[in-house]
Amino acid sequence: MRVPRRSAALLGVAALTIVLVATVVARGRDATVKTEAVSWLGLVGEPRAATLADQRSIVLLKTPSVAQRIALVRYATESQERSWTSQAFAAQQQVLTKLASLGVTVRPDFSYARVVDGFAAALDPRAVALLGQMPEVEGVFPVRAAFPASISETLLASKAFGPASGHRPDAELPGFDGRGVTIALLDTGVDESHPYLRGKLLPGIDIVDHGADASARSDPQDPSQVERHGTELAGILVGSGGPGGLHGVAPGATILPIRVAGWQAGANGNDIVFGRTDQVIAGLERAVDPNGDGDTHDAVRVALLGVAEPYAAFTDGPEAQAVQGALDLNTLVVTPAGNDGVAGPAFGSIAGPAGAPGALAVGATDSRTDLPVVRVVLRRGLDVILDQKLPLLGAVAPAHALILRVTTPRTTRGLAGSQSADYFNAKGYSLVAGRAVVVPVGADPQAAAVAASRAGAAAVVLYGAPLPPGSLRVVEDETAPVVVVPTSAAVELLAAQRAGLDVGIAIGAPHADANRARGQVASFSSQGLAFDSGIKPNVVAPGIALATAEPGAATDGSPLYGTVNGTSAAAATVAGAAALLAQMRPSLDGPSLDSLLVGYAQQGGAPATSAGAGSFRLGASAVGEVAAQPTTLGFGIWQGARWHATRTFVVRNVSTRRLQLSISAVAGGESEALKFTVVPNQLVLRVGRAARVQVTVRAPVAPDARIVTGVIQISPSGSEPLHVPWALDFERVPDTLLGRVAIDRASFTASDTNPAILSVQAGNVAHDGGVQIQAVSRLDILLYSAAGRYLGVMARLRDLLPGSYSFGITGRGPTSARLPPGSYELRLAAWPTLPLQAKPSRAQVSFRVE
């Protein structure tokens, strides 16, 4: 049998390139404590290849944005908001003019005025240094890559997609479908012609290519590859009329698609799908001002961000400020928590901008009731090596029992001695057609299963670490069921085959088995505190095998449907639920929507660092009477026996009756070590009124736990209480934020074209019960004379992930004037993300200008 070769996409590990030639270290029902004992590596999330930032930076100004002004006055007219927008742009122009007068020309790619005041542009080191000294500038921040936070698992034509295909989004309010509510979808392009989305899409906005619409684009280098993620999330949000009665969470709502991610050049020149943080902020600008006239009264009620910056849980950077700005303008921003899985006990794997206090960050759970399993028998002659029921990893199930001969692919050598599996012989004929292929799980089980299936294999038997049921993506023309067996059984089988013995594999017909992982937090779901020690994610929701639309059509012209895994799929479920809640209770503002969805979640046994407040419950949120902001609290790091910390939150009556409230702090298992004071602990609030509450915690002694979590419980008389989760960290992070600091030439002649290179290793990645990211809040590079006289700031960068950063030292000083010949010293200070966490890490290096 001859089967044509087909290419298979390979998944990569993330490596981000950041401003000033920086290589950043990054890994490429009720929730319960237990997580799946399986690996999702390579199975969730788009490929994260290296990207180019081109020295791009985001510059924030101190002039207030429209959102910051609204936060102070609560209301403004249309003309006032347009005037404030103009003032923000004028402040930016003043800064650009000042730079030009110093001989530095900057051409912004984006200008922001609504959610933040600032601009994004490619900046050389001289521009960064000058901007850092300007009194008008709040800070200069790196631009980072953001990747789609889920991956398609199954791809089937509508005729093959039935009621049992995939898991349906589990959120509804009887009598409400989201009608009249607009959801901004900030993601890749959307397939506007898909019948599942017909009539649900407004004319879109293309931030990436500045095109005429936000449709899903094909890869210019390979037109067969299409952006998928935006279409998938759109289907979860508003799809209707799908096969088997499939529909989205809010089928009556409308989507404003904003394309903030798409095909862009990676570091190796190949196109990959990603967005940049400057593009994400530009998308939020349009979400709160869809017609772009400077007036935000037309802001959408809900914005779903489908992309995530791996590990970037910053709480005060431009992305976090933009999310808060959108919330101040009455737009709730729902974000994925990230797909980087288990993390350490403190700062872990939360993505950006999910770490933002104003973001509703969503983790993923497995809510499937049952899973298809098959009986698998491996035999050697008449001896049975393995006889076990195993879950199917993909969507394809055998129609009847299979009795198959065994084969393996041949091994070929590539460049630099690399090895790969080849399923065809030298003449192009399949080596595996009609047989059971036995191959190791390897680093990319997805690619292995795809290649074997497309070569005509009747079944694919992987061996190695267990994989999650239903975790593999299978395209329309694939027909092979996929299972994974223990390594020992596969090795014994293959050894017998090499010895010339008769071997075989039998796979039985499928049947449904109860999903023992139902309700558990998915092991790929990011966890850990945000960099201000606040609880993240805020809530968890179903995020495995959610049924939705896929862009394009099958060979017979029928529309495609599929399933997706990931925290962005979970976030889409919550964003759709927010639209239902906004329709049911139109008087609720953005912060109140946020609080009701978080505060009435169902607490389970999972730690707050992985599940937040718990599994979101739309029904409880719909009848909630009280709201609070912020929705979670972080008390920081314990400093000793005399230490205490105070946090303030605002409680609001969102019911239709006068409320008598009791407020208390509830701690977890180490509660005896903590002493709380709540002022006031009793409140009476009239309808629509709000009050501030202060919570102070003291801990005379440190408990055994590294992190203690709990809730602030706000209990209205006669109704269900609202919970505000909190965390307190008892583990101090070592002062190791500066590693190797070196300059490549200790003596040089001043030159703008041939500078000396200062290399700085900033931040740290610790492995203590999981990955812990120790980021840098601010990096200062200060210039001193050899005699110790302070000369000024050479560079000041904010919100840096761990990595190696390089700076050009041209021989110019802080004012851009050439330095007189002589000896100088650069003193560096790297500040932690928590102000009270520790003193800055310091280093210094000397050089001489000839």
Side-chain angles (χ1 to χ4, degrees):
M1 176 181 178
R2 183 166 188 156
V3 180
R5 294 174 180 266
R6 299 176 185 266
S7 61
L10 299 179
L11 303 183
V13 179
L16 308 182
T17 303
I18 295 186
V19 67
L20 302 180
V21 197
T23 304
V24 174
V25 177
R27 285 193 324 167
R29 331 265 184 256
D30 293 0
T32 66
V33 175
K34 186 177 178 182
T35 57
E36 304 158 89
V38 295
S39 170
W40 283 86
L41 185 62
L43 300 173
V44 178
E46 293 287 346
R48 294 184 193 165
T51 62
L52 289 172
D54 299 327
Q55 295 188 331
R56 295 178 191 271
S57 297
I58 297 169
V59 180
L60 294 187
L61 305 187
K62 294 179 181 177
T63 307
S65 64
V66 173
Q68 289 169 324
R69 294 181 187 269
I70 286 290
L72 294 175
V73 302
R74 305 306 303 167
Y75 178 78
T77 64
E78 296 178 6
S79 61
Q80 282 178 310
E81 291 197 5
R82 293 192 185 101
S83 173
W84 294 339
T85 300
S86 298
Q87 290 174 38
F89 287 142
Q92 296 166 34
Q93 190 56 50
Q94 276 188 320
V95 169
L96 296 173
T97 301
K98 184 182 289 189
L99 284 174
S101 69
L102 297 172
V104 177
T105 300
V106 173
R107 296 181 175 86
D109 296 311
F110 300 103
S111 292
Y112 316 120
R114 291 88 168 172
V115 293
V116 291
D117 182 9
F119 58 87
L123 302 177
D124 62 24
R126 187 180 174 200
V128 172
L130 291 172
L131 285 164
Q133 300 171 53
M134 290 185 178
E136 304 94 331
V137 174
E138 177 187 331
V140 180
F141 300 81
V143 167
R144 280 183 283 268
F147 297 89
S150 66
I151 190 169
S152 54
E153 171 206 320
T154 314
L155 213 63
L156 297 172
S158 58
K159 63 182 181 182
F161 201 95
S165 300
H167 180 72
R168 271 52 177 168
D170 187 16
E172 62 179 3
L173 282 178
F176 299 94
D177 62 1
R179 194 172 308 276
V181 178
T182 299
I183 306 170
L185 175 58
L186 284 71
D187 207 312
T188 67
V190 177
D191 183 356
E192 299 171 339
S193 64
H194 202 293
Y196 194 55
L197 305 174
R198 185 172 295 135
K200 308 298 176 62
L201 302 176
L202 296 172
I205 300 164
D206 183 11
I207 300 294
V208 175
D209 294 322
H210 307 288
D213 57 44
S215 59
R217 305 291 204 273
S218 297
D219 181 0
Q221 297 174 340
D222 181 2
S224 67
Q225 300 297 313
V226 182
E227 298 167 1
R228 322 194 68 84
H229 200 255
T231 303
E232 294 166 347
L233 296 198
I236 295 174
L237 287 171
V238 301
S240 65
L246 180 67
H247 62 81
V249 177
T254 303
I255 285 181
L256 171 64
I258 303 178
R259 184 171 175 259
V260 299
W263 297 105
Q264 302 185 78
N268 61 1
N270 294 329
D271 287 339
I272 57 175
V273 176
F274 72 98
R276 300 193 311 262
T277 51
D278 58 336
Q279 294 167 332
V280 169
I281 297 174
L284 287 173
E285 283 273 298
R286 295 305 302 272
V288 301
D289 185 11
N291 62 7
D293 66 351
D295 164 36
T296 66
H297 285 82
D298 56 344
V300 302
R301 293 302 315 276
V302 181
L304 169 62
L305 183 58
V307 296
E309 312 159 48
Y311 297 97
F314 295 101
T315 60
D316 59 352
E319 305 89 343
Q321 292 189 42
V323 168
Q324 184 61 52
L327 190 62
D328 290 338
L329 293 171
N330 207 30
T331 295
L332 171 63
V333 181
V334 184
T335 69
N339 294 334
D340 289 298
V342 177
F347 307 136
S349 59
I350 293 295
L360 202 175
V362 185
T365 59
D366 186 350
S367 58
R368 295 172 295 177
T369 303
D370 48 44
L371 303 170
V373 297
V374 292
R375 183 180 179 185
V376 178
V377 177
L378 276 60
R379 67 166 182 83
R380 175 187 54 222
L382 297 178
D383 295 331
V384 175
I385 298 172
L386 175 77
D387 185 352
Q388 192 172 337
K389 290 182 179 180
L390 298 173
L392 287 169
L393 302 183
V396 176
H400 51 78
L402 302 174
I403 301 176
L404 303 169
R405 298 175 64 186
V406 177
T407 188
T408 58
R410 68 188 182 112
T411 301
T412 59
R413 291 189 176 275
L415 298 175
S418 62
Q419 295 185 353
S420 61
D422 195 339
Y423 297 88
F424 299 84
N425 64 20
K427 295 182 179 180
Y429 287 91
S430 174
L431 300 170
V432 302
R435 301 187 178 194
V437 179
V438 181
V439 290
V441 168
D444 192 351
Q446 182 74 65
V450 168
S453 184
R454 287 183 171 177
V460 181
V461 178
L462 303 172
Y463 63 90
L467 298 176
S471 58
L472 297 184
R473 173 178 179 264
V474 184
V475 297
E476 183 193 3
D477 58 352
E478 293 170 356
T479 58
V482 184
V483 296
V484 61
V485 300
T487 298
S488 58
V491 168
E492 190 174 347
L493 179 79
L494 296 178
Q497 185 186 45
R498 286 193 298 271
L501 301 179
D502 176 41
V503 297
I505 294 178
I507 299 178
H511 68 276
D513 200 2
N515 178 16
R516 289 189 287 269
R518 186 186 185 196
Q520 295 179 10
V521 178
S523 57
F524 64 75
S525 187
S526 286
Q527 58 181 272
L529 304 179
F531 288 150
D532 68 347
S533 82
I535 293 284
K536 290 290 177 172
N538 297 82
V539 294
V540 289
I544 294 180
L546 295 191
T548 186
E550 295 286 347
T555 53
D556 63 356
S558 61
L560 289 175
Y561 292 85
T563 58
V564 291
N565 303 314
T567 54
S568 63
T573 300
V574 174
L580 299 180
L581 191 56
Q583 179 196 11
M584 178 184 180
R585 300 177 65 173
S587 62
L588 293 174
D589 59 9
S592 296
L593 282 175
D594 184 15
S595 179
L596 291 179
L597 289 167
V598 174
Y600 289 99
Q602 178 64 54
Q603 293 178 288
T609 50
S610 61
S615 299
F616 97 105
R617 297 183 300 162
L618 182 55
S621 300
V623 297
E625 293 193 297
V626 62
Q629 278 292 321
T631 60
T632 66
L633 295 174
F635 287 105
I637 294 182
W638 183 72
Q639 300 291 312
R642 296 181 180 274
W643 170 89
H644 70 276
T646 300
R647 297 292 182 265
T648 301
F649 61 94
V650 176
V651 180
R652 183 177 300 277
N653 181 350
V654 294
S655 74
T656 57
R657 67 185 181 106
R658 178 175 171 272
L659 293 180
Q660 183 172 343
L661 304 175
S662 298
I663 306 172
S664 60
V666 181
E670 303 287 338
S671 58
E672 67 278 358
L674 305 181
K675 309 298 180 183
F676 286 92
T677 304
V678 180
V679 180
N681 61 5
Q682 299 286 330
L683 274 176
V684 176
L685 287 179
R686 296 197 300 270
V687 175
R689 304 305 285 270
R692 292 183 179 274
V693 177
Q694 286 191 332
V695 180
T696 300
V697 60
R698 291 176 172 83
V701 296
D704 293 333
R706 290 178 170 182
I707 291 181
V708 177
T709 61
V711 297
I712 306 299
Q713 183 165 292
I714 306 168
S715 304
S717 177
S719 67
E720 190 168 351
L722 179 92
H723 292 139
V724 178
W726 57 262
L728 173 57
D729 194 344
F730 284 87
E731 181 182 32
R732 291 178 62 87
V733 177
D735 302 338
T736 55
L737 295 180
L738 282 177
R740 181 177 180 273
V741 176
I743 192 167
D744 67 342
R745 284 176 287 161
S747 179
F748 58 91
T749 302
S751 172
D752 291 335
T753 59
N754 185 30
I757 302 299
L758 173 68
S759 299
V760 179
Q761 186 71 37
N764 193 20
V765 179
H767 296 273
D768 183 9
V771 172
Q772 289 197 88
I773 301 299
Q774 297 169 5
V776 175
S777 174
R778 192 181 86 196
L779 175 64
D780 290 348
I781 302 178
L782 311 177
L783 181 65
Y784 286 77
S785 69
R789 183 167 60 91
Y790 174 67
L791 300 177
V793 178
M794 292 292 285
R796 174 169 288 156
L797 296 178
R798 299 176 186 271
D799 288 3
L800 302 181
L801 286 173
S804 179
Y805 296 81
S806 298
F807 302 83
I809 308 300
T810 64
R812 294 182 182 272
T815 63
S816 199
R818 287 188 181 274
L819 294 171
S823 297
Y824 298 89
E825 186 175 86
L826 293 172
R827 299 183 186 179
L828 290 78
W831 298 84
T833 54
L834 285 175
L836 298 178
Q837 176 181 322
K839 295 179 180 179
S841 301
R842 297 188 184 275
Q844 60 188 46
V845 63
S846 299
F847 68 92
R848 180 175 179 80
V849 177
E850 299 294 344

